[in-house]
Amino acid sequence: MLVATPPRGGPADDALVALLRAWLPARRWFPAKTGRAEVGLAGILTFPGDPAGERLRVALVRVRARGVDAVLQVPLAFGPGPGAVLGVLDGTTVRGGVGDPEFSLAWLAAAEGPGAGVDPDGARVMTGEQSNTSVVLPGPGSTRPVAILKVLRTIADGPNPDVDVPRRLVEVGWDGVPVPLGWLVGRWTGPDGATAEGYLGVMSAFVPEAEDGFELACRHAREHVAFDDDAARLGTLVADMHAALVRGFGTVPADGGAGLVAAQVGDRFAWAASQVPALEELRGAVEGVLTELQAVPGAPRRQRVHGDLHLGQVLRSGTRWYVTDFEGEPLAPLAERTRPDFAVRDVAGLLRSFDYAAAVGGLRGDDASSWSGRARRAALLAYDEAAGTTLADGTGAAGSLLRALELDKALYEAVYEQRNRPDWLAIPLAGLHRLLG
């Protein structure tokens, strides 16, 4: 565990904050994308081999803006070497530390877990990261990757599901996740003066020759190749994951049942329709779905779920699929991200991503509907066979919940696309029309 020292104030801290304030807004993982953000130090972590932080430091940075109050982790390296340059402090170059061999070596020495033989000198930072930054590590004397070190950029007090869930799934014997090999915990003082403790990162086994599920599905669509077989294997994988999550975390009663979900989807529609006027014409059909859902006599028990499952969260190696990224929304409270939910919420997320893959792959109209429809049905039939459900024919409480939760997801997508990618708004709108008949 690394324990942070609180900010001391004074010119040195002020100079570091000035560098961070100028550098952070351009990072993809910076949470305050619009408007003015307040940036300040929450603490400094150092490693046992460098307690004064002369070569390495981890700045814990508190960012406050409208709707945002987060603590970010910013590893820093001092002196010449790889990594983006933030600026100069007291005549010394300050660089982003992730990917620096010395940072990787110090991280591994401080981490818990079974570990793995890796060569920090061969570390390669992955590009295109969003909420975190990952480093690929090869084995000693080799260029073949054996592990991925994920540095969590937004840290929070409590058990991060992106670390705890894969660890627990491996413990109960499920092999559908990359095996966690090491994890590092930090301790710092929160803004209220209380001690906070949470994960700083995790190193997991590298999945060889892995393909991103969304990119793979888009390529199939672009080449007019059916995705049915892969979709079926994904359906089985998700059902097996849900069974393993029950073994690892148990279940709880479905308090509020389907009626509570109906109320939540109703609120989602009211919000979405206020943002996307085109949705207003669907009000009657949405209300019909919610009335039907309220009449469902029972609901499945709630359990731990992935929480943000889609094709971009799965990897295919050969004919095998693996699930990754159990973190959920990094800026959401941990209690919200670890709350038991209906397993079919994960299924709904997967189904929605088939529509996106078809569209991004260039299919339109009936071709898109046919391609994604076959993938949807293949995934549902395989899930049903493994889980003992009846999702494919839409019957029972689980079937009604699936329709409502897919509707909920498509409403969220409509608002997102209206705000960020108007040209893509047609994708969730087509899904809504299909769901509502």
Side-chain angles (χ1 to χ4, degrees):
M1 177 186 292
L2 302 182
V3 180
T5 56
R8 294 169 294 182
D13 280 357
D14 291 344
L16 178 57
V17 169
L19 286 184
L20 292 165
R21 187 182 292 118
W23 183 74
L24 283 171
R27 303 312 103 193
R28 295 190 180 202
W29 37 267
F30 187 70
K33 295 299 186 185
T34 59
R36 185 178 179 84
E38 180 182 340
V39 175
L41 278 181
I44 295 290
L45 297 164
T46 59
F47 293 92
D50 182 22
E54 295 179 354
R55 300 186 307 276
L56 297 171
R57 296 177 211 165
V58 177
L60 303 184
V61 183
R62 189 178 184 197
V63 177
R64 287 180 285 187
R66 184 176 180 181
V68 174
D69 191 347
V71 176
L72 305 184
Q73 177 186 188
V74 187
L76 301 171
F78 294 81
V85 175
L86 279 69
V88 177
L89 286 179
D90 294 330
T92 301
T93 301
V94 183
R95 299 174 286 109
V98 178
D100 187 293
E102 192 167 3
F103 171 77
S104 298
L105 191 63
W107 194 99
L108 292 167
E112 304 172 62
V118 298
D119 178 11
D121 287 332
R124 174 175 57 85
V125 178
M126 296 180 67
T127 59
E129 295 296 317
Q130 294 295 323
S131 57
N132 302 298
T133 303
S134 295
V135 180
V136 177
L137 295 166
S142 170
T143 59
R144 185 176 65 86
V146 297
I148 290 184
L149 168 59
K150 179 189 288 187
V151 176
L152 302 176
R153 289 301 191 170
T154 300
I155 61 173
D157 184 26
N160 190 309
D162 203 24
V163 185
D164 280 350
V165 172
R167 285 178 61 187
R168 188 65 181 139
L169 288 173
V170 170
E171 288 173 3
V172 299
W174 195 59
D175 62 358
V177 290
V179 176
L181 301 171
W183 44 89
L184 184 59
V185 175
R187 181 181 292 162
W188 65 96
T189 301
D192 59 356
T195 297
E197 185 174 305
Y199 287 107
L200 301 173
V202 60
M203 182 175 69
S204 302
F206 184 83
V207 179
E209 300 179 0
E211 295 182 89
D212 175 274
F214 186 69
E215 293 179 3
L216 178 67
C218 289
R219 188 170 76 245
H220 275 62
R222 188 162 47 250
E223 297 173 356
H224 296 269
V225 175
F227 198 64
D228 306 11
D229 290 344
D230 277 306
R233 283 190 285 267
L234 277 172
T236 301
L237 177 80
V238 175
D240 290 346
M241 177 188 72
H242 286 153
L245 287 168
V246 170
R247 295 197 303 272
F249 296 96
T251 63
V252 298
D255 294 335
L260 180 60
V261 174
Q264 292 170 341
V265 178
D267 291 342
R268 174 83 81 182
F269 177 76
W271 166 74
S274 71
Q275 306 294 312
V276 185
L279 297 178
E280 190 59 43
E281 67 181 42
L282 302 176
R283 181 175 296 276
V286 171
E287 290 175 349
V289 170
L290 301 185
T291 298
E292 176 185 313
L293 184 61
Q294 288 170 334
V296 171
R301 292 175 67 86
R302 295 178 189 264
Q303 63 166 88
R304 287 296 292 269
V305 299
H306 183 283
D308 186 30
L309 189 64
H310 53 78
L311 284 167
Q313 308 284 42
V314 293
L315 300 172
R316 193 188 75 172
S317 176
T319 59
R320 287 209 57 189
W321 285 98
Y322 295 85
V323 184
T324 65
D325 296 326
F326 287 80
E327 187 177 17
E329 172 50 56
L331 295 181
L334 276 172
E336 182 179 314
R337 290 189 267 152
T338 58
R339 184 182 303 141
D341 202 345
F342 294 112
V344 291
R345 189 179 295 278
D346 287 341
V347 180
L350 181 64
L351 297 182
R352 289 297 312 131
S353 59
F354 290 140
D355 280 1
Y356 270 80
V360 175
L363 297 178
R364 298 290 183 268
D366 291 342
D367 287 341
S369 297
S370 176
W371 186 92
S372 61
R374 292 196 306 271
R376 290 167 55 86
R377 182 154 183 82
L380 289 175
L381 287 171
Y383 186 94
D384 285 342
E385 183 176 356
T389 52
T390 56
L391 299 180
D393 60 15
T395 61
S400 297
L401 278 171
L402 175 61
R403 185 184 184 194
L405 292 174
E406 194 178 350
L407 175 63
D408 183 71
K409 181 73 170 176
L411 289 168
Y412 170 82
E413 292 166 357
V415 175
Y416 181 88
E417 304 303 358
Q418 173 86 350
R419 290 177 175 176
N420 299 283
R421 299 179 295 200
D423 291 345
W424 286 27
L425 179 58
I427 302 174
L429 289 181
L432 287 165
H433 283 285
R434 172 180 53 75
L435 287 164
L436 297 170

